[in-house]
Amino acid sequence: MPASASAILVLDTTGRWCAAGLKRADGQVFTRHEAMARGQAERLALLVEELLTEAGVVPREIARIGVATGPGSFAGTRAGTAFARGLALATDAQALGVSSLAAWAHQADPGQTRTVAAIHDARRGEAVLQVFTLGEPVSEILRLSIDDARAALAEYGDVVLTGSGAALLGADPAGFADEAPLAALMALTGMADEDAPPPSPRYARPPDAALPGGIIP
């Protein structure tokens, strides 16, 4: 990457939104967040362009691109990760993925003092979840029925529930904002290792559709 590159860009298109945040070298943060159920792939590039213009940053000044990798919307998750990879290639920035579960957990417990279960509503009576204690994952990412998820979490005692599926397990819906956790994404992107792997989508389940020959898109 260019020696002058120092800005951090984060992207999230995994939910019912198209969102991005930019942190300049001077620490000032700019964000864009638009509610939308579909169309993130068509909107994201222009939204990022508008964000860069507002911040007075050119693409070659981006050092690192963090993108939410799901679980979340299939089309939105795929669009975000593909855009991040393409922009990184064009700007010589580092692109890396941030689990949406990790971002929700960090948002719910930024001081990393609690045990948090980040839960995605996978529909069809299922949830995808991961448990974090003091900011570190203490479980694998699991896809479980709602009853099995409730039983699994009982083993952890006092747990903070967060994420799109938290209400399925008894959390107050008012405690979870249906928006991209941009501040958490920014923090986790900044803390990521220099050799963090490039982003790859994490889907709640394998896609139902396949291309001719059985190839999953």
Side-chain angles (χ1 to χ4, degrees), residues 11 43-45 89 97 100 103 125 143 154 193 206:
L11 312 168
R43 175 64 180 136
L44 182 56
L89 185 63
S100 296
R143 189 179 88 230
D193 294 337

Side-chain angles (χ1 to χ4, degrees), residues 129-177:
L129 63 89
Q130 189 170 26
V131 181
F132 299 79
T133 296
L134 306 181
E136 296 295 328
V138 294
S139 80
E140 300 295 325
I141 297 177
L142 306 170
R143 189 179 88 230
L144 301 170
S145 70
I146 301 305
D147 287 342
D148 287 346
R150 191 174 289 112
L153 293 182
E155 301 177 7
Y156 293 92
D158 182 22
V159 179
V160 176
L161 305 180
T162 189
S164 63
L168 298 174
L169 299 180
D172 182 354
F176 176 73

Side-chain angles (χ1 to χ4, degrees), residues 185-205:
L185 282 171
M186 187 69 72
L188 294 174
T189 298
M191 292 188 292
D193 294 337
E194 291 293 333
D195 59 351
S200 180
R202 173 83 193 202
Y203 301 121
R205 57 175 58 84

